[in-house]
Amino acid sequence: MPPFLTVHTTVVLLAALFIGCVGGGLTFLSGSPLAGAVLAGLTGAGASVPVLRSLIR
C-alpha cells in the first residue's frame, strides 16, 4: 500500500502545526480571548504552509 503523504508534505504540515500552536498559545497568553487565539493560530499555520513548502526542498 503506497503512503498517503510524502515525507516533504509531512514535514511541512508538522512544521505548520507547530508554528500555529506556538502563535495561538502566545496570543492566548497575551490576554486575548480563546477564540481570537485559535484564529491567530489557524492563520499562522495557514500562512506558513506556502512559505515552508518553498523553503523545505
Side-chain angles (χ1 to χ4, degrees), residues 39-54:
L39 285 175
L42 288 173
T43 302
S48 67
V49 169
V51 176
L52 289 169
R53 185 176 173 265
S54 65

Side-chain angles (χ1 to χ4, degrees), residues 18-56:
F18 179 74
I19 290 170
C21 287
V22 169
L26 289 175
T27 303
F28 181 72
L29 290 176
S30 71
S32 295
L34 181 60
V38 169
L39 285 175
L42 288 173
T43 302
S48 67
V49 169
V51 176
L52 289 169
R53 185 176 173 265
S54 65
L55 287 177
I56 302 172

